[in-house]
Amino acid sequence: MRLFLGQRAWVLQRVTALMLLILLALGAATLLTGPSRSYESWHALATSTHGAVLIVVFFAALCLHGWIGVRDIVLDYIHAPTLRLPLLALIAVILFAIFIRVVLTMAAHFAGGA
Amino acid sequence: MRARSASAPKFLNLSQVRFPVGAIASIGHRVSGVLLLVSLPLLALALDRSLRSKSEFDALRDLVSEPWRALLLVILVWAAAHHVLAGVRHLLMDIGVGSRLSQARTSAWAAILAAGIIALAAAVRWLS
Amino acid sequence: MRVSIYRFNPETDAKPRMQDYDVAPEAGDKKLLDVLMRLKTMDDSLSFRRSCREGVCGSDAMNINGRNGLACLTSLPGLKEPVVLRPLPGFPVIRDLIVDMTQFFAHYHSIKPYLINNEEPPERERLQSPAEREKLNGLYECILCACCSAFCPSFWWNPDKFIGPAGLLQAYRFISDSRDTATAARLAYLDDVYRLYRCRSIMNCTEVCPKGLSPSHAIERIRLALVRESS
């Protein structure tokens, strides 16, 4: 098994970067043109179906993009396999946990808001 | 041959190497990426808090009232700005836009300066 | 002029040191290599490689005032003093400014730097159209001096696994050659997290190439060719 991918990781890094850019632009546009920056309008936006989905997609892209980036840093600077593999595994677990946490957050508020 | 290489010294003192501007933009991209990744749990936490109640939402908006928190936010603003700008530069260069050396130097300078200006603006707004 | 040079003799020195020389360039001295040759007559223990003295053989690559370059192509006017000369960064030092290029050339050999074509050879040579030949410009001129690879941070961190800018420029030279039929195999070999994808487009390689070539551009084209290949 090839543990570290070449082209696929490179492409994924760029695809997630594009997704993040588009979502950030969308977020900035909403912030600038939206009616107000109050709790009420933010809550309504985040708990709407498309808002909640976009937030989850944003964090998914963020975690994947961060994973590839940090993987590259580890491959560059940390060479001892006894340190490298546990470190990579730990980072992967933390990133996955953050993503799950975001999904749970959105699920809780989505259910509450709907 | 092998034994000699193993014991041979190497010159690799980074403070004695003159880095081109592209290398500065690149290491900035890496450092800012790490900063953003480290702050990712905070972002997830902020998302949760911001949706809980009006008072928690307002508390988040008042984060900058404490100077050390404002300073941290300024650093994160720099990190986000530099990472996005240097990232867009890389995306364009990947498809051959601005990947000639002279253009790449200009865009590296532009990304570094623009991120600095954005961070400065945030600092002026929150720290003064 | 004052020149400060990295000295290391494996037989007597435990670690490298810097040695300062004061030397008066004479009328005919135009390039840094001329001064080094003059220093060699003053101190014959000083060791460096040189051969053609005109930027063709690629022997006298070194770190000059913090940047890699060829001593024979570095003009004396405009050089900041003291001129600090060190061996190519990241390469094992054999003696003074002479580095061990074994690994560098192993990477070069790994990309099969020769035409691969198993089709029946024609009676005369394999012909190329002017347009096909044009594609090799900017690639075939590489003299393998290692200025680029020795200025590449990715190569510093993984010199045993990353092919480096020089090897990748050569890889693209054969990928681009209309007479070569192994393009798919060459690309498949490069699709690896270390061999090709350690490159982060820092462009230090292109910054220091004494021949004005652009390894970063070659790498950019290889990556796009790989995307095309897999889609």
Side-chain angles (χ1 to χ4, degrees), chain A residues 39, chain B residues 46 49-50 53-66 69 73:
Chain A
Y39 169 72
Chain B
R49 290 275 202 91
S50 74
S53 69
K54 186 163 170 42
S55 60
E56 297 238 21
F57 180 84
D58 289 336
L60 279 172
R61 295 196 63 171
D62 289 339
L63 266 183
V64 290
S65 56
E66 251 185 279
R69 283 200 180 126
L73 271 178

Side-chain angles (χ1 to χ4, degrees), chain C residues 76-194:
Chain C
L76 287 178
L79 258 188
K80 218 181 102 210
E81 285 189 52
V83 182
V84 181
L85 302 180
R86 292 192 172 88
L88 288 177
F91 281 47
V93 176
I94 295 173
R95 189 187 185 107
D96 297 345
L97 300 175
I98 298 175
V99 294
D100 186 347
M101 312 265 286
T102 310
Q103 201 159 51
F104 175 81
F105 283 112
H107 283 304
Y108 174 59
H109 288 299
S110 78
I111 59 98
K112 301 199 165 98
Y114 38 82
L115 279 181
I116 299 174
N117 190 329
N118 292 328
E119 289 161 18
E120 191 67 31
E123 219 156 285
R124 308 281 289 268
E125 67 269 37
R126 295 185 200 278
L127 294 175
Q128 278 191 308
S129 69
E132 286 167 343
R133 173 60 187 77
E134 174 78 26
K135 287 184 181 165
L136 305 183
N137 287 354
L139 303 171
Y140 81 94
E141 300 94 327
C142 172
I143 56 173
L144 294 168
C145 64
C147 279
C148 57
S149 292
F151 210 52
C152 170
S154 299
F155 195 74
W156 293 338
W157 316 139
N158 284 295
D160 52 335
K161 300 195 189 86
F162 178 44
I163 289 174
L168 290 170
L169 182 90
Q170 290 297 319
Y172 190 59
R173 180 245 171 277
F174 289 96
I175 287 168
S176 309
D177 198 310
S178 60
R179 298 163 296 181
D180 190 279
T181 56
T183 304
R186 291 179 187 280
L187 287 174
Y189 178 75
L190 295 177
D191 183 8
D192 178 87
V193 70
Y194 287 108

Side-chain angles (χ1 to χ4, degrees), chain B residues 48-101:
Chain B
D48 186 41
R49 290 275 202 91
S50 74
L51 289 171
R52 276 190 182 171
S53 69
K54 186 163 170 42
S55 60
E56 297 238 21
F57 180 84
D58 289 336
L60 279 172
R61 295 196 63 171
D62 289 339
L63 266 183
V64 290
S65 56
E66 251 185 279
W68 69 271
R69 283 200 180 126
L71 184 67
L72 278 181
L73 271 178
V74 168
I75 292 170
L76 287 180
V77 164
W78 169 79
H82 186 91
H83 203 80
V84 167
L85 291 169
V88 168
R89 172 177 177 264
H90 273 310
L91 284 176
L92 291 173
M93 281 172 27
D94 283 339
I95 53 169
V97 180
S99 63
R100 281 214 332 264
L101 182 60

Side-chain angles (χ1 to χ4, degrees), chain A residues 2 4-8 10-11 13-14 71-73 75-77 79 84, chain C residues 154 157-158 161 191-194 197-198 200-201 223-224 226-228 230:
Chain A
R2 284 175 62 194
F4 304 117
L5 301 167
Q7 188 201 179
R8 249 190 289 174
W10 185 83
V11 170
Q13 190 173 43
R14 273 132 191 94
R71 181 203 72 149
D72 277 331
I73 293 175
L75 292 188
D76 276 355
Y77 304 133
H79 294 111
R84 178 190 265 192
Chain C
S154 299
W157 316 139
N158 284 295
K161 300 195 189 86
D191 183 8
D192 178 87
V193 70
Y194 287 108
Y197 288 101
R198 282 306 81 209
R200 311 242 63 81
S201 308
R223 287 190 298 224
L224 289 179
L226 270 163
V227 171
R228 246 175 275 125
S230 64

Side-chain angles (χ1 to χ4, degrees), chain C residues 33-48:
Chain C
L33 183 63
D34 298 326
V35 169
L36 273 170
M37 302 285 279
R38 207 163 285 291
L39 283 173
K40 178 83 177 167
T41 62
M42 292 161 56
D43 174 359
D44 66 0
S45 74
L46 179 63
S47 306
F48 54 90

Side-chain angles (χ1 to χ4, degrees), chain A:
Chain A
M1 188 188 88
R2 284 175 62 194
L3 199 54
F4 304 117
L5 301 167
Q7 188 201 179
R8 249 190 289 174
W10 185 83
V11 170
L12 189 62
Q13 190 173 43
R14 273 132 191 94
V15 169
T16 50
L18 270 178
M19 288 167 65
L20 291 169
L21 275 176
I22 292 167
L23 289 170
L24 278 176
L26 215 63
T30 313
L31 204 68
L32 291 174
T33 59
S36 72
R37 293 177 214 172
S38 67
Y39 169 72
E40 287 75 19
S41 58
W42 162 240
H43 190 269
L45 180 73
T47 53
S48 67
T49 308
H50 68 271
V53 168
L54 288 183
I55 287 172
V56 170
V57 170
F58 179 81
F59 274 88
L62 207 56
C63 289
L64 273 173
H65 188 81
W67 162 249
I68 299 167
V70 82
R71 181 203 72 149
D72 277 331
I73 293 175
V74 171
L75 292 188
D76 276 355
Y77 304 133
I78 295 166
H79 294 111
T82 47
L83 192 60
R84 178 190 265 192
L85 291 174
L87 189 63
L88 283 172
L90 180 71
I91 294 165
V93 167
I94 292 174
L95 282 172
F96 190 67
I98 291 172
F99 176 67
I100 293 299
R101 176 73 218 272
V102 167
V103 170
L104 291 177
T105 296
M106 295 316 293
H109 291 287
F110 189 62

